[in-house]
Amino acid sequence: MKRIFRSQQAGIAALFVSVATFLSTALGLVRDKVMAHYFGASLETDFYNYGYTIPDMLQNILIMGVTSSSFIPVFAEHVAQCSREEANRMASSFLNITLCVFTAICLLVGLFMPQIVVVWLGTDFPAEEKAGVIDVTRIFLLAQIFFAVSKIFSGILQTHKHFTAYALALVVYNPSIILGMVLFHGQAGIYSAAYGALIGAALVALVNLADLMRTEYRYRWAWQWGATGIRQVYFLAIPNFLNLALLQVVILAYSRLSVDLQEGSYSSFRYALNFESFPVSLFGISFVTAIFPYLAENVGQRNFDNFNYNIQNSFRQILYLTLPAGLGMAVLSDEIIGLVLAGGQFDAEDVRMTGSILFFYALAVPLESLWYLYARAFYSLKDTWTPFWYRLAGTVINLTISYLLAFRIGPSAFSLGILVAFAIQVGFFTVGLKKRVVQFDIRQVWHTSYKLVVCAAIMMALVLALNRWLTDGPWLASYSLRMQYLMRTVLGIGLGAASYVGLTVLFRCADFSVWNRVTGRLFKK
């Protein structure tokens, strides 16, 4: 247990979390494949996704909004400057107060869910589907209480630079949903996925608890409402509450718009979102999660030269990995959706609709990944208002595009709005961080970006040309549709990876620093 649950350095932590994220997102795609096979993109999957929306919104706003923005920097400051007992009491007070409030809110939402559904989805929403949304929502509300516990545990663990539980928790949740559907889809229908999610959430909390017991943290029955640290955590979290609330407003708006669009539109949007989150989680969030405690430490020590180094290094690594992943996924969006989800109840029209949504989503992959990095940079500076104002501007742009285009081009308007919004926000962040931190070298950001963008654009053109040639060529038509999807995807990925790596080496903008550091440490050991 001591060898498994221990602290890690930034490079090792980033690779460790990336591997776990890869497994988790791969399992997420398996989950989507199983759901698509048994239920397709139908009203049943729609009300499952509707039922998931509000509980996920509450957890993101009320729990993630605090732990990801303000709790880790404030707790890190207590660990560095106060006694162990004082730091433990501060963290325990935060755990007790936050969990108590969150549980009460979940109970109230579950109680008044029939009224909420009428206001949210309208009176014309079918009664049978409305009852399903209410039942699924109540199951997920209970699951989110377990997630709330695990997220707070995870914040404490990350402050102590423990990432093992964070990684392991990623790979226990989706298998529970998959197992629930495989075993009980016949008896319980779509509810089999919801009950599997509930069991998975409980397992995630247990994994985090096992790692927490190996740190210096010890739980205390403390309720220090007026303590300086507690007040600071919640005060700093207010903008991030609003920030994440804006994001959830967008999701709610999409769900409401989709009621008047083609059947299965919201499910297709959620499927595409899960595919897009694969590279974002793997190459973006995993790196940001690992580097955030170090950024907070740099700011606490007033070491802004090292702060700039960590930002630039993470920027280069994230962009190097997410550009080819996003642009390649955009070119092969139909092939990827068809290969993974097609079959059973998921027909050709579902593939086309989901692929069109994924196209714009995939182009947003590098931008969203950099958004998380920039946001954490501001959070480490204890500036939580700036990301909110940027998100507000992006939300207005996003919803305007979605409402103007949804009834013309369908649900792909949602992902187009997100793409434009992220592009504008990343530009704001780059200029804004330079104003806050003089040491932040904006010229280095530009130097890193333009070379990688050119290499990725050439790669995209090559993959697009290959895909067109394969699609129009007569020799591929003799194979089954799934085999056609497989061959176009595999050959496209192979050409894209080879050309991108070759171009970045040729133009001297390749970044293998994390891989070199990790393998060097392993061989040295």
Side-chain angles (χ1 to χ4, degrees), residues 410-427:
S412 56
F414 303 159
S415 54
L416 176 60
I418 287 174
L419 170 63
V420 175
F422 272 127
I424 293 173
Q425 289 177 80
V426 168

Side-chain angles (χ1 to χ4, degrees), residues 69-70 103 116 134 170 218 236 249 274 290 362 436 452:
S69 62
S70 57
T103 302
I116 293 173
I134 294 169
L170 292 173
R218 294 296 177 268
L236 290 173
V249 164
N274 292 338
R436 287 297 312 270
L452 291 176

Side-chain angles (χ1 to χ4, degrees), residues 204-333:
V204 169
L206 289 175
V207 170
N208 278 278
L209 178 61
D211 197 354
L212 194 66
M213 294 171 64
R214 296 291 169 179
T215 68
E216 295 180 351
Y217 171 76
R218 294 296 177 268
Y219 174 77
R220 299 288 183 269
W221 182 254
W223 300 78
Q224 296 177 336
W225 296 86
T228 303
I230 297 296
R231 290 201 306 269
Q232 189 179 19
V233 168
Y234 290 117
F235 179 76
L236 290 173
I238 291 173
N240 206 40
F241 283 143
L242 300 174
N243 190 347
L244 292 171
L246 287 175
L247 179 61
Q248 301 307 315
V249 164
V250 170
I251 299 297
L252 290 175
Y254 290 166
S255 63
R256 182 63 188 89
L257 271 173
S258 65
V259 171
D260 300 320
L261 298 178
Q262 180 180 346
E263 179 182 311
S265 292
Y266 190 60
S267 294
S268 293
F269 162 73
R270 298 299 304 203
Y271 284 136
L273 176 61
N274 292 338
F275 275 88
E276 185 264 355
S277 67
F278 186 99
V280 171
S281 300
L282 181 61
F283 302 129
I285 296 176
S286 59
F287 275 81
V288 171
T289 300
I291 203 64
F292 185 36
Y294 293 90
L295 294 176
E297 185 177 71
N298 295 153
V299 173
Q301 296 172 350
R302 316 301 295 174
N303 187 354
F304 290 106
D305 288 331
N306 208 27
F307 178 89
N308 176 63
Y309 169 79
N310 283 323
I311 289 291
Q312 298 289 350
N313 193 42
S314 299
F315 184 97
R316 184 176 63 254
Q317 292 167 356
I318 289 172
L319 199 62
Y320 183 78
L321 295 169
T322 56
L323 268 174
L327 271 61
M329 182 181 287
V331 174
L332 300 171
S333 55

